[in-house]
Amino acid sequence: MFCIYNIMEEDEEEYVDQPADLPGGPHFYPQVEFNDKPESLFFNDGIRRIDFILVYEDEDKKEFEKRNMYQRRMKSNLDFKRSFQKLTSTTFFHLPWDVLCTYAEVLHIKLPIRPNDITPRPSMWRFFTCITKHFYPDEKLIQKEVEYFTAPFEKNRQDCFYINDKDLFFTPAMRSRMACYILSKAQYEIRGNINKFGITKLLNTGVYKAAYPLHDGKFNVKSKEEAYPSERYLLYNEWANPKNFYKMQPLDLIRKYYGEKVGIYFAWLGFYTMMLAVAAVVGLGCFIYGLKSQETSTWSKEVCDPNIGGKIVMCPQCDLCKYWILNSTCETSQKLSIFDNFGTLVFAVFMSIWVTLFLEFWKRYQAELEYEWDTVEFLEQEEPPRPEYEARCIYERKNPITEKVPFTFCGRCVRISIGIGTVCFWIFLILASIVAIIVYRLAVFITFSYQLRNNNLKNLEPIKEYVTPQMATSVTASLISFVVIMILNILYERVAIWITNFELPRTRTDYENSLTMKMFLFQFVNYYSSCFYIAFVKGKIVGYPGKPVKLLGEYRSEECDPGGCLIELTTQLAIIMGGKAIWNNIQEVLLPWAKNWLFRRCSSSVTEKVIPRWEQDYQLQPISQLGLFYEYLEMVIQFGFVTLFVASFPLAPVLALINNLFEIRVDAWKFTTQSRRIVPQKAQDIGAWQPILQGIAILAVATNAMIIAFTSDMIPRLVYYWSFSVFPYSDNTEHTMQGYINSSLSVFNISDSPFDLTDIAMSAPSNLTTCRYRDFRYPPGHPWQYEHNIQYWHVLGAKLAFIIVVEHIVYLTKFILSYVIPDVPYAVKERIKREKYLTHVILHETSLKLVTRRLKPLIDDKISHDLYYSLS
């Protein structure tokens, strides 16, 4: 399957020579015999480093009937390498010094010019070193990197740069990045006006099986060469190993080995996890407060009291349901009191402030990383177009960026319209699935109500007392919703990639941003729509028993428990968050491990005693072309669950914290042990995910305020306590919660029902003339019977006032915090200015020295010449 090949023909010797305009080009080296050094990263001479590997399938192993297709692929393979005009044909890609210098300048890579002598600001934790050192990687193994003043590399000013060793001046990550850039620009076919180039296209069509840089050794074996320690081994032992879950991440080494883009992801994930620890502690405290207040919850005790809840007969909640006693929901009410209390309100406000602090502090931390990793001016440099875009630039219409464009104005409008239409279609498909789940909930609620009331579910005898029709319906619907979410997610994933490829964005950043917005918009509707339905739709428009609201003219709208829909929202969140975490871990741990194990078992090279480094890496899983997109998406969706609906589930930050502690090590383990080495890429920030997080933070304030106002029963209880528990609405002389349940349940006269209740009435208690339902309406016999009473309008006004006041207070606080906390720390600003100034001074002084050195012979000659003529 894997082979080092040489497909040079006898008349191909001309392509070995270097071109005159680019001395020292990138090299594909011909086939050589393996030297039995499995961890070597060099050719047999021990000098030339292997910078990149290309893999193709051996012709001898192809079936005869596929030979014609294979020959066409080999022709593209050969044309691709001929495009360099300086390459021999082999899988080993090596960049000589001149080429490294050339493309370092093309890519604006910053390189050291002098050691940084600016004294770093002392850490505020320096006094606790004896304690904090246990939470950091071993400094003896991972030493702190030397800081340098840096500047974009210029080939004609090499003397300005701090070059001690040409072999070590460009790091392996830089060399791999330049090699990948060269391969992405290499042309392999011209067909009419269309130029085909780039290794990506050849990989997609199967001409090449893989293209990747090499890992620098085994992850579980220490390097035998002291001069070249294995960074992969260090990363595994000090980062990816699960035993280090409590330690900080070696971000500088991650960035050095995998590039800035991977480094910034793990920096963000680690910072997010640290901030979650604060939210988790407060959320856990809120949960404990709920457990304690459960014992003193007056309204929950009234539901469970045989003399109160045991004597209240509730109206049927569906056309075939029976009458039921209020205290049958005693267990649900007790659980609800854990989450529906004053502590939840405090926690919701805290989380609104927390998310602002998280985003503001992350901006500051990100600014520090930009300075330390030399990406401050990265976005100011022109990003090159994608090869897929350049290959289709055939129209002569000019724009400010390129000389040609891939499509006309009308063609662009058509592509964008098709993309928007497709996204809207899939969003409507999600909404249709949500409607189907709602219909399921309505239909199955009738079944559960009938079966449970008639004791037909004997298999549930051990847990029957804990199962209510509402709970059974909610749990099964949540499970079905989770399955539908995952299926639609898999299908839409491919559709979104196809749409983005069809739109043909110009740069890699444009491509990722476009795909990010499409995927997140879909995922937002896919994951959160069921939660929004339970929180803001269910139980809000149900009418009353004499005139119920029906969906599709057949199914009565769902009603909430007497305590509200909050417990169902909590159940939905717990199932989706838990199920998503389990599914993602299966995908990220078991699948890569199983695929690698099967590949090794099926590979013929397993029988060999010594396997070279490049073949060991080929047996690992390839990195997706989208790179870290799915990792970000997973965490941002979790961020939405933690912030948007946290008022219903204070334990969400706790679950997210536990998941993220594993997520960091699982992602590290996957990158380090199960995947080929990713091609390093430059990145300044987290890209389009930053405004998405800010949008979620703004929306979270409104959703949590509305959950407390409309989903929980906190506002109705407060209105009753302060207004309706005393004169003139009650005989009590002091404010109290006693009598709240009776006040929150309206009365319905069974004889007023327009439906035939004969079968249902047979199961009702004797002499039953009225039943109760959850609403604030006038009783039968009142001039305005079954109309909303004065308490309803008080409650509605209090809910709207609560939302307006809380939103304005929280938004004002968020604005003040955003204004007060600068995005870039003052110390970092000063260090950036200072470094820029010193860099210019150093470059200027070095240039003067070079000019002086070059002019000195001319000046000496001039002086000698003048002296000669003066003496003569």
Side-chain angles (χ1 to χ4, degrees), residues 546-572:
K547 191 178 180 181
V549 176
K550 291 195 173 184
L551 182 65
L552 304 178
E554 182 177 357
Y555 300 104
R556 283 180 59 174
S557 295
E558 279 189 286
E559 297 184 27
C560 298
D561 281 329
C565 288
L566 196 68
I567 191 66
E568 294 187 42
L569 180 59
T570 303
T571 304
Q572 180 83 355

Side-chain angles (χ1 to χ4, degrees), residues 79-342:
D79 291 343
F80 176 69
K81 284 183 291 193
R82 282 181 174 179
S83 68
F84 289 105
Q85 296 185 356
K86 52 200 173 284
L87 309 178
T88 59
S89 302
T90 178
T91 51
F92 297 102
F93 196 62
H94 171 72
L95 298 180
W97 172 256
D98 287 342
V99 175
L100 288 171
C101 295
T102 299
Y103 284 95
E105 184 173 358
V106 170
L107 296 176
H108 304 282
I109 295 178
K110 284 189 171 183
L111 290 162
I113 56 177
R114 182 186 294 180
N116 191 334
D117 54 2
I118 298 178
T119 305
R121 190 176 182 180
S123 173
M124 60 180 295
W125 304 105
R126 63 187 183 279
F127 301 109
F128 306 96
T129 306
C130 58
I131 299 175
T132 58
K133 67 179 182 180
H134 300 290
F135 297 94
Y136 285 86
D138 190 347
E139 294 183 357
K140 296 180 180 178
L141 297 177
I142 302 179
Q143 299 178 357
K144 185 176 179 61
E145 294 187 5
V146 179
E147 295 188 5
Y148 293 93
F149 292 120
T150 59
F153 188 80
E154 296 181 29
K155 188 176 181 180
N156 59 352
R157 301 175 70 179
Q158 294 184 31
D159 293 338
C160 298
F161 291 87
Y162 193 73
I163 305 176
N164 283 337
D165 187 345
K166 289 186 176 181
D167 294 332
L168 301 178
F169 183 65
F170 296 102
T171 65
M174 294 177 184
R175 300 172 71 103
S176 300
R177 181 185 167 201
M178 287 185 273
C180 184
Y181 177 81
I182 294 171
L183 291 171
S184 68
K185 297 294 183 180
Q187 181 179 299
Y188 63 87
E189 185 177 353
I190 300 177
R191 183 176 297 176
N193 294 329
I194 299 178
N195 298 329
K196 293 187 177 183
F197 53 88
I199 188 64
T200 304
K201 184 70 174 178
L202 294 176
L203 290 170
N204 293 337
T205 56
V207 175
Y208 285 102
K209 306 300 291 185
Y212 53 90
L214 290 176
H215 281 296
D216 65 354
K218 291 184 177 180
F219 67 88
N220 55 356
V221 178
K222 188 175 182 180
S223 175
K224 297 180 181 179
E225 301 180 15
E226 296 294 336
Y228 300 99
S230 174
E231 294 176 349
R232 186 188 185 193
Y233 172 80
L234 295 177
L235 285 171
Y236 175 75
N237 280 276
E238 296 297 320
W239 177 51
N241 198 314
K243 68 179 182 180
N244 298 315
F245 74 93
Y246 63 92
K247 288 186 176 182
M248 302 294 288
Q249 302 180 85
L251 293 177
D252 288 335
L253 185 59
I254 296 171
R255 170 248 183 173
K256 180 181 178 183
Y257 192 75
Y258 290 114
E260 286 79 6
K261 196 167 189 177
V262 175
I264 202 74
Y265 164 72
F266 281 104
W268 176 83
L269 181 56
F271 186 83
Y272 171 46
T273 304
M274 288 181 61
M275 292 292 290
L276 271 177
V278 179
V281 171
V282 179
L284 188 60
C286 179
F287 178 74
I288 295 173
Y289 172 82
L291 287 175
K292 295 294 183 182
S293 64
Q294 182 183 12
E295 302 173 358
T296 59
S297 176
T298 304
W299 64 270
S300 178
K301 289 182 177 180
E302 288 187 349
V303 172
C304 298
D305 192 341
N307 297 321
I308 301 178
K311 293 183 178 180
I312 296 178
V313 180
M314 302 296 293
C315 299
Q317 292 184 313
C318 62
D319 295 341
L320 300 179
C321 299
K322 294 186 177 183
Y323 296 94
W324 52 287
I325 306 300
L326 179 61
N327 68 352
S328 65
T329 61
C330 176
E331 293 290 336
T332 304
S333 299
Q334 289 178 342
K335 295 175 183 176
L336 181 60
S337 64
I338 299 175
F339 302 102
D340 193 359
N341 52 65
F342 182 74

Side-chain angles (χ1 to χ4, degrees), residues 844-860:
H844 180 67
E845 291 178 351
T846 306
S847 299
L848 287 178
K849 290 179 181 179
L850 290 175
V851 171
T852 303
R853 188 187 308 165
R854 291 171 181 173
L855 291 178
K856 186 177 180 181
L858 298 177
I859 295 174
D860 292 342

Side-chain angles (χ1 to χ4, degrees), residues 584-829:
N584 288 335
N585 285 328
I586 290 175
Q587 282 188 314
E588 294 184 3
V589 178
L590 294 182
L591 288 182
W593 178 85
K595 288 179 179 179
N596 289 339
W597 182 81
L598 288 174
F599 189 91
R600 288 193 298 266
R601 295 284 295 179
C602 298
S603 177
S604 60
S605 63
V606 169
T607 59
E608 300 177 11
K609 295 182 179 180
V610 180
I611 303 175
R613 172 79 267 146
W614 50 88
E615 189 164 353
Q616 294 178 46
D617 286 3
Y618 180 66
Q619 294 174 357
L620 299 176
Q621 288 299 300
I623 296 292
S624 170
Q625 292 183 9
L626 298 178
L628 297 167
F629 173 80
Y630 298 106
E631 311 297 339
Y632 275 116
L633 181 63
E634 176 187 349
M635 289 295 102
V636 171
I637 293 296
Q638 182 205 86
F639 180 80
F641 282 121
V642 168
T643 55
L644 291 175
F645 307 101
V646 74
S648 66
F649 192 34
L651 290 179
V654 178
L655 297 181
L657 174 63
I658 296 173
N659 176 77
N660 287 8
L661 289 175
F662 286 99
E663 182 72 22
I664 292 174
R665 306 304 160 179
V666 166
D667 287 346
W669 175 82
K670 180 178 66 176
F671 274 99
T672 307
T673 67
Q674 303 299 310
S675 302
R676 297 171 191 162
R677 188 171 180 177
I678 190 172
V679 177
Q681 295 181 14
K682 204 82 170 175
Q684 187 179 29
D685 49 35
I686 60 176
W689 299 109
Q690 185 77 26
I692 288 176
L693 292 174
Q694 293 174 339
I696 293 176
I698 294 173
L699 182 61
V701 178
T703 56
N704 284 298
M706 293 176 68
I707 286 173
I708 293 173
F710 293 108
T711 309
S712 77
D713 250 16
M714 184 178 300
I715 302 300
R717 290 198 297 267
L718 290 175
V719 170
Y720 174 80
Y721 180 83
W722 291 107
S723 300
F724 290 87
S725 65
V726 294
F727 182 83
Y729 302 103
S730 177
D731 297 332
N732 299 320
T733 57
E734 296 181 354
H735 297 284
T736 179
M737 283 301 297
Q738 293 181 358
Y740 168 73
I741 290 297
N742 186 64
S743 173
S744 65
L745 298 175
S746 300
V747 181
F748 177 72
N749 193 334
I750 296 176
S751 61
D752 292 339
S753 176
F755 308 106
D756 183 10
L757 302 177
T758 304
D759 296 336
I760 300 177
M762 292 177 61
S763 63
S766 59
N767 301 324
L768 179 68
T769 58
T770 61
C771 61
R772 309 295 291 273
Y773 60 98
R774 187 175 185 267
D775 208 342
F776 298 103
R777 295 178 182 268
Y778 288 110
H782 193 278
W784 296 337
Q785 66 174 5
Y786 303 133
E787 296 292 331
H788 288 120
N789 58 22
I790 189 65
Q791 189 174 355
Y792 170 83
W793 298 110
H794 273 73
V795 170
L796 181 60
K799 289 180 176 179
L800 296 177
F802 172 82
I803 292 175
I804 293 173
V805 171
V806 169
E807 282 188 351
H808 279 69
I809 292 175
V810 174
Y811 281 136
L812 178 62
T813 306
K814 288 168 67 70
F815 172 77
I816 293 174
L817 289 174
S818 300
Y819 179 79
V820 171
I821 302 174
D823 293 347
V824 182
Y826 176 78
V828 174
K829 285 184 178 179

